[in-house]
Amino acid sequence: MGLIKAALGSAGGVLADQWKEYFYCDSMTANVLVTKGKKRTSSRNSNTKGSDNIISNGSVVAVNEGQCMMIVEQGKIVEFAAEAGEYTWNSSSEPTIFQGGLEGLEGSWETLKRRFAFGGDTAKDQRVYFFNLKELVGNKYGTPAPIPFRVVDNNIGLDMDVSIRCNGEYSYKIADPMLFYTNVCSNVSDEYRREELDRTLKQEFVSALQPALAELSDLEIRPNQIPRYMPDLEKAMNKALSEKWSKLRGISVVSIAMPNVSLPEEDQELIKTAQKNAMYRDPTMAAATIVGAQADAMKAAASNANGATAGFVGMNMAQGAGGMNAQTLFEMGQQNQQNQPNQQNAPAQNTSANSWKC
């Protein structure tokens, strides 16, 4: 009885799998990365007993924009299509009498014998997978700990390390579906969703911010200028994540939004103090500062409750102790301005017979 049941099961299965299938995938939501293709069925479809994981020769697979299709047979990728359109699979190892004429009939007989040997089971697994190639947005990130950032300002000779915090959103996409299938999702039974991967990606993204921002600091920009250099940061992030994302998982960063970049108050004050002190290298600016300070001191001295005379005497003593007055600094600044044009327009001098001049 077992042999008869196996023979009937094998024959019924082979006959049911003779029909060609049509695979189609509706638009995938932003939370779905990979979904297993299902055969299109309707009330007029006579193929109601076909095997789930069998794709007959000549079956059709429709691929939408923003998707790609992959056919896996016995665990191995045998077909791949990344362009939208209709594809007919003519290389299936499951023959049909509706494809190939006499060869299809002979192949079906061989399939029947093979299934009988396995007790009526197909002994084969063929699947269609659809991949979501659209940009996946809305991935929030934030730095739990400050990240070192080098601040360089050649105008004032500033070169120091500060600590910054930042937060925002990034987006990514599947750039290499074959790598993604091989190393991430493999043969899923239904869907592979973002929540299975996003937590790991977020941790790796935040870890890669430090080397990426270090590369960005080589451009000698200030922390508040970072949002203006997002394309450079995106390249630096893809470079920092290339081993784990691009080469291992087949995904890449598409865009990064960083609206908030903050520094500790002590670092902000240190930069402001350095910028303020750098102004005094210009004698004219230093003179203007002294004049402003003297004006404030005169107002304070005039309103001194202990006597205006004593206040002015103290102000004169402070001016004498400073060793430099505003008039001297103004003269130095004027002299520097006069010397600059003369130095630029000065002709080259011939100091010897063998010398040359530009």
Side-chain angles (χ1 to χ4, degrees):
M1 293 295 293
L3 291 176
I4 295 175
K5 187 176 180 179
L8 293 175
S10 301
V14 170
L15 291 175
D17 292 333
Q18 290 298 302
W19 304 99
K20 297 180 181 180
E21 292 88 15
Y22 180 77
F23 292 87
Y24 182 84
C25 178
D26 293 323
S27 178
M28 287 182 279
T29 64
N31 292 325
V32 178
L33 299 178
V34 182
T35 185
K36 180 185 174 185
K38 296 179 174 59
K39 302 172 184 178
R40 172 70 65 85
T41 60
S42 67
S43 58
R44 296 183 299 274
N45 195 341
S46 300
N47 185 16
T48 58
K49 297 183 180 180
S51 305
D52 289 336
N53 291 344
I54 292 296
I55 308 174
S56 300
N57 201 31
S59 295
V60 174
V61 182
V63 182
N64 286 320
E65 296 287 355
Q67 298 177 355
C68 79
M69 174 273 296
M70 180 184 297
I71 297 179
V72 178
E73 181 174 2
Q74 300 293 77
K76 181 181 179 181
I77 301 172
V78 295
E79 190 71 25
F80 178 82
E83 295 183 4
E86 177 184 297
Y87 293 86
T88 302
W89 192 30
N90 292 319
S91 301
S92 176
S93 59
E94 283 294 319
T96 170
I97 58 176
F98 301 109
Q99 187 83 4
L102 183 60
E103 292 182 1
L105 182 60
E106 293 176 351
S108 298
W109 172 249
E110 295 298 326
T111 301
L112 176 62
K113 291 192 295 183
R114 186 186 72 248
R115 292 191 183 187
F116 177 74
F118 282 92
D121 188 76
T122 60
K124 186 163 292 188
D125 188 277
Q126 297 172 318
R127 306 184 182 195
V128 177
Y129 287 111
F130 292 93
F131 291 77
N132 189 352
L133 300 184
K134 297 188 291 290
E135 180 182 3
L136 305 171
V137 300
N139 304 280
K140 299 183 182 298
Y141 70 91
T143 52
I147 296 178
F149 187 81
R150 181 186 176 210
V151 179
V152 178
D153 190 341
N154 292 324
N155 293 327
I156 62 174
L158 178 66
D159 190 342
M160 60 177 290
D161 290 330
V162 299
S163 298
I164 65 173
R165 290 180 180 270
C166 54
N167 60 75
E169 293 185 358
Y170 69 93
S171 65
Y172 67 91
K173 66 179 297 185
I174 298 177
D176 191 330
M178 291 189 178
L179 278 179
F180 191 85
Y181 175 82
T182 303
N183 298 323
V184 181
C185 67
S186 193
N187 55 329
V188 294
S189 59
D190 187 20
E191 291 180 343
Y192 188 87
R193 303 178 67 85
R194 282 174 62 178
E195 52 262 29
E196 301 182 49
L197 185 64
D198 276 357
R199 182 177 179 181
T200 300
L201 294 184
K202 180 180 178 180
Q203 293 175 346
E204 293 175 351
F205 182 90
V206 174
S207 299
L209 272 176
Q210 182 168 341
L213 287 173
E215 186 170 336
L216 200 63
S217 67
D218 292 339
L219 300 177
E220 300 184 357
I221 64 174
R222 300 174 184 176
N224 60 347
Q225 295 177 307
I226 292 177
R228 294 170 49 189
Y229 288 82
M230 284 300 103
D232 298 278
L233 183 59
E234 290 160 10
K235 294 179 182 178
M237 286 296 293
N238 277 316
K239 180 179 179 181
L241 293 168
S242 62
E243 290 296 330
K244 291 185 178 180
W245 284 31
S246 301
K247 297 180 181 179
L248 179 64
R249 301 191 183 102
I251 59 179
S252 62
V253 176
V254 178
S255 65
I256 301 174
M258 190 181 293
N260 299 317
V261 179
S262 60
L263 280 77
E265 292 184 2
E266 56 270 20
D267 287 345
Q268 295 183 36
E269 291 299 324
L270 189 59
I271 294 176
K272 290 179 181 179
T273 301
Q275 293 171 338
K276 183 178 179 180
N277 292 337
M279 295 189 304
Y280 301 146
R281 295 186 303 177
D282 184 352
T284 305
M285 292 294 297
T289 303
I290 292 178
V291 170
Q294 290 176 347
D296 293 338
M298 291 175 66
K299 292 179 183 179
S303 60
N304 192 347
N306 296 326
T309 303
F312 280 107
V313 170
M315 184 186 72
N316 291 332
M317 292 176 62
Q319 180 179 355
M324 185 69 69
N325 56 45
Q327 182 61 33
T328 304
L329 291 173
F330 277 125
E331 292 175 355
M332 291 175 60
Q334 186 176 7
Q335 184 177 2
N336 289 340
Q337 293 176 359
Q338 292 175 353
N339 291 337
Q340 288 178 358
N342 293 335
Q343 293 175 357
Q344 294 176 356
N345 299 326
Q349 297 180 356
N350 189 0
T351 57
S352 66
N354 297 327
S355 65
W356 62 279
K357 61 182 179 179
C358 179

